[in-house]
Amino acid sequence: MDTVDFEIWMFIAGLGIFLFGMYHLETGLKGLAGNSFKKLLQRFTDKRWKGILTGSFVTAILQSSSLVTLLVLAFLGAGMISLQNSLGVVFGANLGTTVTAWIVATVGFKLDIADLSYPFLAIGSLSYLLLDSRPVLKNWGSFLIGFGLLFLGLDFMKTSIEDVAGQVDLRLYANVGLWIFLLIGLITTVLIQSSSAMIVIVLSALNAELISIHQSVAIIIGANVGTTSTLIIASFNGTADKKRLAAANVIFNLVAGAVSFLLLRQMVYFTIHYLGIREPLLELVFLNTLINLIGIVLFFPFIPAFARFMNRRFVKSEPSGTCLYIKNVDPEVSDVALQALDNEISRVYTLVEEFILDCLLIGKNGNHRSSGIKNIFRIEKNLLETYAQLKTIEDEITDYYTQIQRFKLTQSEADLTSNYLIRVRSMIIAAKNIKDVIPNIKEMADSEDPVAVEILGSLQNFAVKNLNKLSSQAPEGMGREEISRLQREYEDFYILTVNYLYKNIPPKAQLSVSVSSITNAIRKIVSTLEELITSVNHPESRNNKGTEPAATDAGTLPAESPFGPLQGQD
């Protein structure tokens, strides 16, 4: 009895050592190349097949499908990857986890793995403990510790199972249905939360001839379904995207598992008689890989339709808020959070640009919009609602900014977040400037005064021209010289327009729009464009604003006028 108890504890100790090794291996690799893997996931997921290959490769290296899935969730929330392509990555991650089984089957049972683990543990432990001031070497130490513990834990499990295998009569399992073994694999994996550890247990049992190849494959199928529990648990209080990925992963493994279980005997027969793989361990790891390949082949043609189907699920779990990107990304993942913030700022700029054009009663191509009496009140109500929405977005971005500041940021990341806040503030000020003169613009549009109508047309054309120019500059920003040139151009336009108004004021009896209304519209529209210059540039590029260009007499006007020859001008 004492001997049996000892073997049980030895087996549990081996399992614990193996899982602890997986943890150190993952930690070390994240420290050594975490950002590289993030960039790889971002860069090579624009196609379904690329997503599958990238997910397989990254998971094969990191040996953590859970980590890869959490990274994908962050990218998905930030708008850096679509749900369709993220599904490809998750499906590929399932395939990537099979690499552990191949390493264990080809190395772990062929060599004296306890002796193999000692050099890794010796070098890794010393590096991890003594080189704390050198992060790269410490991460290498963590990686080596993990590698050594994997093999040491495997040796413990293998030895404990081999010692009890001779005491078990296999004939007792001869008439037990394979579905029992499938349930054993599923339940055990849910409990230990590691399909890699589960397959090592099965390989040890198969190596000790404790179970047959058919029973082993049934356990592995159950383990593939059971490993989805990790993501399911993580998605309970998660966003809609997290729940969609978790559900998609469950469906993928259920379908692949059901098809493989139905064809289990045929797959084993095919592997032995057609492929000539007669070594039980290699046969099992091959079939484990084949099960995941079957799932990928079955789902690949339908990934777009499957993504659309999943997008319609869990709608009630969508995060609250007006923003699209930042509400789905944990601010703790700083680089992804900054990308989400960048996407959100770009969206705000587009919304503000559309708002400005709506206020000016024109389209981006310069086409004028109708402005009848019935349209006035409807448009004004919608514009005020749009402005309120922009203010809400600004508040949400500001709140997200404060959340990001709680985490450790590099100096460049801190500067970038501050820049984002300055840019969004400038956009909202621009929106406020144009919002304040909506009544003036409509008054000019409805007027029969030719001067008011002409000035409004000039303002509309000037706004369209410069909005298009700023939009083209937004991705890269502008240099100081370009900013100064534009600001001088805006000031010149303001001076010319105001002087044109002053020289062409009709008699008071014929004036249908007050001069103050027209000058207010001119000032605010020019100020709106000036604020947008700030919104597409870094803080250090910002010149002093707040001084309104002063109108001058005709003798100081620039040579060219946006109106042609001024009335009364020599």
Side-chain angles (χ1 to χ4, degrees):
M1 184 69 182
D2 292 340
T3 304
V4 175
D5 288 341
F6 174 77
E7 297 299 342
I8 291 174
W9 284 113
M10 185 179 185
F11 174 80
I12 295 175
L15 177 60
I17 291 170
F18 183 89
L19 292 173
F20 194 52
M22 291 289 293
Y23 165 78
H24 268 286
L25 194 66
E26 178 184 320
T27 302
L29 284 168
K30 280 170 61 180
L32 289 169
N35 288 331
S36 299
F37 289 128
K38 287 180 184 178
K39 291 176 182 177
L40 189 67
L41 280 173
Q42 293 176 43
R43 184 177 178 184
F44 294 104
T45 52
D46 56 332
K47 302 287 185 183
R48 283 177 285 162
W49 63 271
K50 284 185 180 180
I52 291 172
L53 291 178
T54 305
S56 301
F57 174 74
V58 173
T59 308
I61 301 298
L62 290 179
Q63 280 305 294
S64 175
S65 58
S66 298
L67 173 63
V68 172
T69 303
L70 291 175
L71 284 176
V72 170
L73 277 169
F75 297 150
L76 180 61
M80 298 159 64
I81 180 175
S82 67
L83 178 62
Q84 175 178 314
N85 294 334
S86 67
L87 290 176
V89 177
V90 172
F91 296 164
N94 284 283
L95 182 62
T97 56
T98 64
V99 171
T100 302
W102 282 101
I103 294 173
V104 170
T106 54
V107 177
F109 290 92
K110 307 296 181 184
L111 304 173
D112 188 341
I113 51 178
D115 290 342
L116 183 65
S117 68
Y118 297 149
F120 291 107
L121 290 172
I123 298 172
S125 299
L126 292 174
S127 300
Y128 188 81
L129 294 172
L130 302 179
L131 300 174
D132 191 59
S133 60
R134 298 177 180 270
V136 174
L137 294 177
K138 183 176 181 178
N139 286 322
W140 271 112
S142 182
F143 170 78
L144 294 174
I145 289 172
F147 208 70
L149 289 176
L150 285 182
F151 288 114
L152 185 62
L154 174 60
D155 183 70
F156 276 38
M157 286 187 283
K158 185 180 75 168
T159 302
S160 63
I161 290 179
E162 285 176 346
D163 288 345
V164 300
Q167 306 171 27
V168 178
D169 187 356
L170 287 176
R171 289 175 297 180
L172 297 174
Y173 301 102
N175 296 321
V176 175
L178 293 178
W179 64 272
I180 293 293
F181 292 91
L182 185 145
L183 288 177
I184 291 172
L186 191 154
I187 294 170
T188 307
T189 306
V190 168
L191 292 175
I192 65 176
Q193 290 290 294
S194 174
S195 60
S196 296
M198 188 63 209
I199 198 168
V200 169
I201 295 171
V202 176
L203 284 169
S204 300
L206 182 63
N207 182 65
E209 298 183 350
L210 193 62
I211 54 178
S212 69
I213 184 63
H214 293 87
Q215 294 162 346
S216 301
V217 176
I219 294 174
I220 292 302
I221 293 172
N224 286 340
V225 176
T227 193
T228 62
S229 63
T230 303
L231 194 52
I232 292 173
I233 294 169
S235 70
F236 277 151
N237 296 317
T239 62
D241 284 335
K242 184 174 284 190
K243 291 180 179 179
R244 286 169 188 144
L245 268 189
N249 197 32
V250 171
I251 294 171
F252 172 83
N253 282 283
L254 279 175
V255 172
V259 172
S260 301
F261 189 72
L262 292 173
L263 299 176
L264 190 154
R265 297 187 185 279
Q266 289 85 347
M267 288 167 58
V268 172
Y269 183 86
F270 174 80
T271 306
I272 295 173
H273 294 88
Y274 287 91
L275 299 181
I277 303 177
R278 300 183 180 279
E279 170 65 39
L281 300 181
L282 292 179
E283 185 177 3
L284 179 60
V285 294
F286 173 80
L287 289 171
N288 181 36
T289 304
L290 184 61
I291 290 166
N292 286 284
L293 279 174
I294 287 173
I296 291 173
V297 171
L298 289 174
F299 275 84
F300 184 78
F302 307 105
I303 287 180
F306 189 45
R308 290 192 295 271
F309 171 78
M310 294 310 302
N311 267 323
R312 295 193 292 269
R313 311 278 83 81
F314 306 106
V315 177
K316 292 182 179 179
S317 298
E318 290 281 1
S320 59
T322 309
C323 292
L324 291 183
Y325 302 102
I326 59 176
K327 65 182 180 181
N328 293 313
V329 179
D330 188 340
E332 187 174 2
V333 190
S334 60
D335 50 347
V336 182
L338 289 176
Q339 181 63 56
L341 203 51
D342 186 72
N343 290 342
E344 206 69 68
I345 298 297
S346 298
R347 174 175 173 257
V348 174
Y349 183 88
T350 300
L351 292 174
V352 169
E353 184 181 51
E354 292 173 355
F355 178 72
I356 293 169
L357 293 170
D358 286 336
C359 290
L360 287 168
L361 305 173
I362 51 176
K364 194 165 186 177
N365 56 4
N367 292 335
H368 291 235
R369 299 173 185 171
S370 60
S371 175
I373 294 296
K374 293 181 179 179
N375 225 11
I376 290 176
F377 297 104
R378 180 179 64 82
I379 293 176
E380 185 171 4
K381 180 181 178 182
N382 288 341
L383 289 176
L384 294 177
E385 288 177 354
T386 302
Y387 179 72
Q389 181 189 40
L390 290 172
K391 290 287 293 178
T392 300
I393 292 174
E394 181 192 19
D395 291 341
E396 291 177 12
I397 290 175
T398 304
D399 180 64
Y400 194 70
Y401 167 82
T402 60
Q403 293 181 50
I404 292 177
Q405 298 303 309
R406 297 183 190 137
F407 301 102
K408 188 175 181 181
L409 299 175
T410 64
Q411 186 59 50
S412 62
E413 288 176 335
D415 292 341
L416 193 57
T417 54
S418 298
N419 175 39
Y420 285 142
L421 213 58
I422 291 172
R423 289 173 61 191
V424 76
R425 182 86 280 264
S426 295
M427 293 178 200
I428 302 305
I429 292 174
K432 182 183 184 303
N433 285 337
I434 197 74
K435 186 264 298 183
D436 289 343
V437 290
I438 290 174
N440 303 132
I441 293 170
K442 289 174 181 174
E443 188 180 4
M444 293 167 71
D446 294 333
S447 170
E448 296 181 358
D449 185 341
V451 175
V453 171
E454 189 172 3
I455 288 177
L456 178 59
S458 178
L459 289 170
Q460 290 170 330
N461 293 335
F462 186 75
V464 169
K465 168 190 168 185
N466 284 281
L467 285 174
N468 289 334
K469 185 184 297 183
L470 290 173
S471 293
S472 65
Q473 296 280 359
E476 292 83 21
M478 293 180 288
R480 290 180 179 273
E481 292 184 4
E482 177 67 9
I483 291 172
S484 298
R485 189 189 67 76
L486 278 180
Q487 288 178 328
R488 288 194 301 270
E489 183 180 313
Y490 292 174
E491 182 177 352
D492 290 346
F493 176 82
Y494 176 86
I495 294 170
L496 284 167
T497 308
V498 170
N499 275 275
Y500 178 82
L501 170 64
Y502 288 166
K503 284 186 171 292
N504 292 275
I505 297 175
K508 188 172 183 179
Q510 300 176 17
L511 192 64
S512 60
V513 184
S514 68
V515 172
S516 63
S517 292
I518 298 175
T519 54
N520 192 42
I522 298 169
R523 177 176 60 82
K524 289 289 188 178
I525 291 170
V526 172
S527 297
T528 294
L529 294 172
E530 286 179 333
E531 285 296 338
L532 285 184
I533 294 177
T534 302
S535 71
V536 298
N537 284 279
H538 295 287
E540 61 268 18
S541 299
R542 189 177 186 182
N543 289 348
N544 292 329
K545 292 188 178 70
T547 56
E548 178 185 340
T552 61
D553 58 35
T556 61
L557 288 177
E560 295 184 5
S561 167
F563 304 95
L566 298 178
Q567 296 182 23
Q569 183 178 357
D570 295 334

